[in-house]
Amino acid sequence: MKRNVQKILASAFLLGSGTCMAATDLRTLVDSRVEPLMQQQGIPGLSVAVVNKGQVQYFNYGVAATNTRKPVTEDTLFEVGSVSKTFTATLGGYAQATGKLTLSDKASAHLPALAGSAFDGISLLQLATYTAGGLPLQFPNAADSPATMLGYFQHWKPAYAPGLQRLYSNPSIGLFGYLAAQSLGQPFNVAMEQTLLPKLGLNNTHVSVPAEKSGQYAQGYDKNQQPVRVTPGALDSEAYGIKTSTQDLARYVIANMHPDTLEKPLQQAIAATHTGYYTVNGMTQGLGWERYPYPIKLQALLDGNSTEMAMQPHKVNWLTPAQPQTADMLFNKTGSTSGFGAYVAYVPSKDMGVVILANKNYPNAERVKVAHAILSALDH
């Protein structure tokens, strides 16, 4: 049966092309995709949430830690890496909605210590969309601490004029999150954990996992199956610091698809994250989220989440004016730390989405393939 399911879905090259699957077969489908993947990639534990028209189903596999053999559940906490950027972006959108900043503000306007630096000419929007002028994927080792990052930014020189090239960057969106929190008058972790996350109704999502939940925090594993968790670094909370569960991420997906259930500033914040600011190679960059026309070919989704897109600069085509969310769009974001891999994708017009969390970092392409197969099956 599992081989038959895979054969059926192998022909579904176009997400939204009409492929459908009875709800009773969803377990078979998810099993058929996840079980071989875990074996091939050596993933100890994995959790999937499937959101479909307001209902959520969970599919849990393996263990949260190989030494305790504690089973993964929908409440297991995983590091989600760069999926954190969507939360950071939402916080920035909330700061804008409450009048604390505008995305067109220059970065140095929100941090006097940056006055006289390149950030006099770089906007918050450029920071949030990786177009500041060539900030790198990671901080250099010598600058990768809260004590040294400010000096790095003060002396950094752009490789490109701001706004011309997209180069995916933790320091870029990390600084955006830092400045957004500054505008709210709070440290980032406080703004996230005491303001944004409660307003979103996410009670099992954390920057710092509290002691009473340490038993829910999965152990991550590196490529050699050695235990590893995320380590402190400059702007780590802002760029890749969220720990959460499939249950909370499913709630987050539902909030993103139905923001009218939230207070007005959060509705405006989510609208800002869903807005398209520029296009590059078929992908439209939002704040944190990346979006595509729907239906979408699998290859286009793989290309948009490729190593080449993450590691190389790409010329951008700004949308003037910026393009609000319209019907028939897929939003997605991948995330990784040394010991974890995450993927979130959803289609608001179809009221469906998928969350995949694992306690091992494995290729983005494999995550995308699983999510694409599930969404294809849901799209009756």
Side-chain angles (χ1 to χ4, degrees):
M1 178 61 179
K2 292 179 182 177
R3 284 194 298 272
N4 290 340
V5 171
Q6 288 177 308
K7 185 175 179 181
I8 291 167
L9 286 163
S11 64
F13 295 114
L14 184 63
L15 182 56
S17 61
T19 303
C20 63
M21 179 168 288
T24 52
D25 287 334
L26 187 56
R27 162 65 69 179
T28 303
L29 166 62
V30 180
D31 284 351
S32 75
R33 291 286 172 161
V34 169
E35 289 171 351
L37 173 67
M38 291 180 68
Q39 184 172 3
Q40 292 159 8
Q41 299 293 332
I43 299 170
L46 188 148
S47 183
V48 178
V50 178
V51 181
N52 187 24
K53 297 177 174 58
Q55 303 299 310
V56 186
Q57 289 180 260
Y58 301 99
F59 306 90
N60 298 305
Y61 304 85
V63 295
T66 56
N67 59 337
T68 66
R69 310 304 299 176
K70 185 174 182 178
V72 165
T73 75
E74 56 265 32
D75 293 320
T76 300
L77 294 172
F78 294 82
E79 295 171 11
V80 298
S82 287
V83 174
S84 306
K85 292 175 170 65
T86 69
F87 289 91
T88 294
T90 306
L91 184 71
Y94 178 79
Q96 178 172 252
T98 53
K100 306 300 185 183
L101 60 78
T102 62
L103 294 177
S104 60
D105 292 346
K106 299 306 180 187
S108 59
H110 291 277
L111 188 62
L114 293 177
S117 73
F119 295 93
D120 287 341
I122 295 168
S123 71
L124 297 180
L125 178 61
Q126 289 164 345
L127 284 177
T129 58
Y130 323 113
T131 55
L135 281 167
L137 176 62
Q138 309 285 7
F139 281 97
N141 288 338
D144 197 12
S145 73
T148 56
M149 72 167 192
L150 185 56
Y152 172 76
F153 285 130
Q154 288 170 329
H155 294 96
W156 175 76
K157 303 297 182 188
Y160 322 103
L164 293 186
Q165 298 276 341
R166 178 191 193 267
L167 185 61
Y168 189 72
S169 168
N170 286 333
S172 189
I173 198 169
L175 181 57
F176 171 73
Y178 182 87
L179 298 178
Q182 290 271 114
S183 77
L184 291 165
Q186 296 176 309
F188 179 83
N189 289 16
V190 174
M192 183 61 65
E193 294 190 327
Q194 297 184 19
T195 298
L196 185 67
L197 296 175
K199 288 179 180 294
L200 288 168
L202 303 180
N203 301 317
N204 200 27
T205 300
H206 312 278
V207 180
S208 300
V209 177
E212 64 270 20
K213 291 192 177 179
S214 61
Q216 293 174 227
Y217 189 177
Q219 177 63 62
Y221 295 90
D222 66 16
K223 61 184 178 181
N224 298 315
Q225 300 296 357
Q226 295 302 303
V228 62
R229 281 185 177 153
V230 69
T231 54
L235 303 179
D236 53 349
S237 297
E238 292 87 340
Y240 51 85
I242 292 288
K243 295 88 179 172
T244 188
S245 65
T246 49
Q247 186 170 82
D248 253 27
L249 276 184
R251 291 191 185 105
Y252 183 50
V253 165
I254 291 169
N256 271 271
M257 294 196 296
H258 300 282
D260 54 310
T261 61
L262 304 169
E263 63 177 59
K264 192 71 172 179
L266 269 183
Q267 293 182 34
Q268 295 169 337
I270 288 173
T273 69
H274 288 193
T275 296
Y277 297 97
Y278 61 74
T279 60
V280 56
N281 291 7
M283 182 268 284
T284 299
Q285 184 69 62
L287 295 187
W289 296 111
E290 296 157 11
R291 77 183 203 195
Y292 300 82
Y294 179 87
I296 182 171
K297 292 181 179 179
L298 173 58
Q299 190 59 52
L301 206 53
L302 292 172
D303 291 345
N305 289 286
S306 66
T307 300
E308 194 266 345
M309 272 291 283
M311 301 299 290
Q312 300 298 321
H314 292 83
K315 181 173 173 30
V316 303
N317 299 294
W318 287 92
L319 297 169
T320 307
Q323 186 182 82
Q325 177 186 333
T326 57
D328 296 330
M329 292 177 175
L330 180 144
F331 294 85
N332 84 157
K333 188 72 190 78
T334 61
S336 302
T337 60
S338 295
F340 291 82
Y343 185 58
V344 180
Y346 56 93
V347 184
S349 66
K350 299 291 185 178
D351 200 11
M352 65 181 185
V354 177
V355 175
I356 307 171
L357 303 181
N359 57 352
K360 189 178 182 187
N361 184 356
Y362 64 104
N364 283 341
E366 301 306 319
R367 313 173 201 181
V368 171
K369 289 174 188 175
V370 172
H372 184 274
I374 294 170
L375 292 173
S376 294
L378 294 179
D379 189 10
H380 299 163

